[in-house]
Amino acid sequence: MATDVVVPTLGESITEATLGQWLKKPGEQVKADEPIASLETDKVAVEVPSPVAGVIGELVAAEGDTVNVGAVIARITEGGAAAASATPAAENKTEVAKAEKAAPAEPAAAPSGDAPSGEESGSEQTLSPSVRRAVLEAGLDPSKIKGTGKDGRLTKDDVLAAAKAGTAKSAPASAPTAAPAPAAAAAPAASGGRKEERVRMTRLRQTVAKRLKEAQNTAAMLTTFNDVDMSAVIEARAKYKDLFEKKHGVRLGFMGFFVKAAVLAARDVPSVNAKIEGDEIVYHDYVDVSVAVSAPNGLVVPVIRDAQDLTVAGIEKTIGDFGKRAKDGTLKMDEMKGGTFTISNGGVFGSLMSTPIINPPQSAVLGLHRIEDRPVVVKGQVVVRPMMYLALSYDHRLIDGREAVTFLVALKNAIEDPTRLLIDL
């Protein structure tokens, strides 16, 4: 008996998704609740579990297809043995696309002794588009890289780490003794031709592009800068990080300090934590901070709820959990919704300065940047201090320049004197 696999409910107001990746192929055995496909929605990737134990039969949809909630994407034969040769058109289309991307410069006819094993071929099939592209660009052998993602799957970070370490290099293919004419004709294009690759935007990237452009078209955006001396926070972190991690089970970072400082500054300047709705201004008596964290498919922005009620330890635990689950692809829809203020830390990637874009309907976003030693004047003396540039982008329709500067100064004062965070000053 065949059981249909349908697209599950994806959350409020979400009616469709993109089939990002098949995790199983026709003829493979699956267990009940074992993930068989990955869907990309406007916000996160969602895995589709098998409703029953059995064998993958027909794949109704192909990777890259747009599928509606409730639509059938595959069928599973319960307890039976499906014929792997009966591969449907959707699977054929997926395999052809993968073959074209996975071996663009391979000879047309490789010697029989160089054929990949079934295990290596299987691992190739489970690579996501972004991971596959990173593997090709770095010239690595994915079978030699240890995956840290869910069920041991490779993530983009795994590939980048292997490339940086210089491991898992792909062995060059041995040239056949008598290359056929088609391969010889293709050689000039492979060695000297300029290449282009056309990759369909993920649904997440489409949504990000749409919302960011919407912000530029709607808000009167302006960015105000300041800098902050990180000496006190660095000293406090160095002094207490071991005790902090031992007690709370999480590392003490800088984001905990900045989230607390932003909450404190937002009390003085409530418009930074407000939004425009029609011809009204909506003020919040709570601060839900959206924090950008890195995921295999790009940055995602989960929300720290009621940040005003959390300690630095509570904030660090929440951010650490978000980061781990972002890499595993297990963040939930509800964790990505809402938010009254955003903090984006481009400094972890080496950014010196930027003008972040507002995340509608929010009215402000704080950009953090890298810490570097710079000469500054302190009490008439030129000294070297670890400095960071801060950038506050805001909707000038709601927030005046005076308010933006006041917010940044309050945040700067709290970071340069962390005692203010303890006494609510």
Side-chain angles (χ1 to χ4, degrees):
M1 185 177 86
T3 300
D4 290 342
V5 181
V6 301
V7 178
T9 301
L10 300 171
E12 184 181 355
S13 76
I14 299 179
T15 60
E16 63 180 21
T18 300
L19 182 56
Q21 179 185 5
W22 280 111
L23 307 178
K24 294 290 183 179
K25 297 185 296 182
E28 288 191 21
Q29 293 277 351
V30 293
K31 301 175 182 178
D33 297 325
E34 183 179 3
I36 64 172
S38 175
L39 300 176
E40 295 176 354
T41 70
D42 291 354
K43 298 180 180 293
V44 293
V46 178
E47 290 185 334
V48 180
S50 172
V52 295
V55 177
I56 299 291
E58 179 186 6
L59 301 185
V60 179
E63 292 182 1
D65 286 354
T66 298
V67 291
N68 295 320
V69 171
V72 177
I73 58 173
R75 293 185 174 88
I76 296 177
T77 303
E78 298 182 43
S85 60
T87 306
E91 175 70 7
N92 284 337
K93 184 167 71 171
T94 299
E95 295 302 323
V96 169
K98 286 183 177 181
E100 290 175 349
K101 289 183 180 181
E106 290 288 321
S112 58
D114 292 341
S117 66
E119 181 180 350
E120 291 172 343
S121 179
S123 65
E124 280 266 327
Q125 302 304 326
T126 60
L127 299 182
S128 68
S130 61
V131 172
R132 187 184 306 114
R133 187 159 58 251
V135 166
L136 292 173
E137 290 173 353
L140 303 181
D141 181 352
S143 66
K144 298 179 181 178
I145 306 173
K146 183 178 179 181
T148 60
K150 191 170 183 179
D151 297 327
R153 293 200 296 272
L154 287 183
T155 68
K156 191 173 181 180
D157 288 342
D158 297 332
V159 177
L160 295 178
K164 185 176 181 180
T167 60
K169 287 291 184 181
S170 179
S174 57
T177 55
S191 60
R194 299 194 302 170
K195 298 179 181 178
E196 293 182 352
E197 182 182 9
R198 191 176 297 272
V199 179
R200 183 176 181 179
M201 291 176 69
T202 64
R203 183 169 293 273
L204 175 61
R205 177 52 55 186
Q206 291 178 42
T207 302
V208 169
K210 179 181 178 181
R211 289 177 63 82
L212 292 181
K213 189 58 184 173
E214 174 189 336
Q216 287 186 319
N217 293 340
T218 303
M221 280 204 302
L222 182 63
T223 303
T224 294
F225 298 94
N226 210 323
D227 61 0
V228 58
D229 185 345
M230 296 292 291
S231 298
V233 168
I234 291 175
E235 181 181 349
R237 183 170 178 263
K239 184 176 181 180
Y240 297 112
K241 65 178 181 179
D242 293 336
L243 290 174
F244 185 90
E245 185 171 2
K246 183 177 180 181
K247 180 175 181 178
H248 299 291
V250 65
R251 294 179 61 188
L252 176 60
F254 294 123
M255 283 297 287
F257 291 98
F258 276 102
V259 170
K260 290 295 291 183
V263 168
L264 195 65
R267 292 178 181 174
D268 294 339
V269 189
S271 58
V272 170
N273 191 48
K275 66 179 179 181
I276 293 178
E277 206 167 79
D279 58 357
E280 296 178 331
I281 299 174
V282 180
Y283 292 96
H284 309 287
D285 65 352
Y286 54 88
V287 185
D288 288 348
V289 181
S290 304
V291 289
V293 297
S294 182
N297 292 329
L299 291 178
V300 292
V301 192
V303 180
I304 303 174
R305 309 286 179 189
D306 294 315
Q308 77 281 354
D309 297 330
L310 296 178
T311 62
V312 171
I315 293 169
E316 292 290 357
K317 286 180 179 178
T318 303
I319 295 174
D321 178 61
F322 283 157
K324 181 178 182 299
R325 291 192 291 120
K327 289 186 177 181
D328 293 341
T330 58
L331 283 174
K332 299 178 181 177
M333 295 287 183
D334 291 342
E335 293 172 321
M336 314 285 286
K337 295 179 180 178
T340 60
F341 180 76
T342 295
I343 298 179
S344 178
N345 186 5
V348 297
F349 305 109
S351 171
L352 174 65
M353 189 180 294
S354 68
T355 55
I357 299 178
I358 299 168
N359 181 23
Q362 298 174 21
S363 297
V365 52
L366 175 68
L368 309 182
H369 303 90
R370 74 171 185 247
I371 302 170
E372 63 177 7
D373 289 341
R374 293 201 300 269
V376 294
V377 178
V378 178
K379 296 180 180 179
Q381 299 294 321
V382 176
V383 296
V384 175
R385 292 291 174 85
M387 304 296 293
M388 174 195 287
Y389 286 118
L390 304 175
L392 182 74
S393 291
Y394 55 97
D395 189 343
H396 211 343
R397 298 176 301 166
L398 172 61
I399 303 168
D400 294 330
R402 176 184 61 84
E403 294 174 312
V405 173
T406 301
F407 176 89
L408 277 181
V409 169
L411 189 142
K412 171 184 170 73
N413 291 337
I415 293 298
E416 293 184 342
D417 183 9
T419 305
R420 290 172 175 263
L421 300 177
L422 300 177
I423 61 177
D424 196 15
L425 183 60

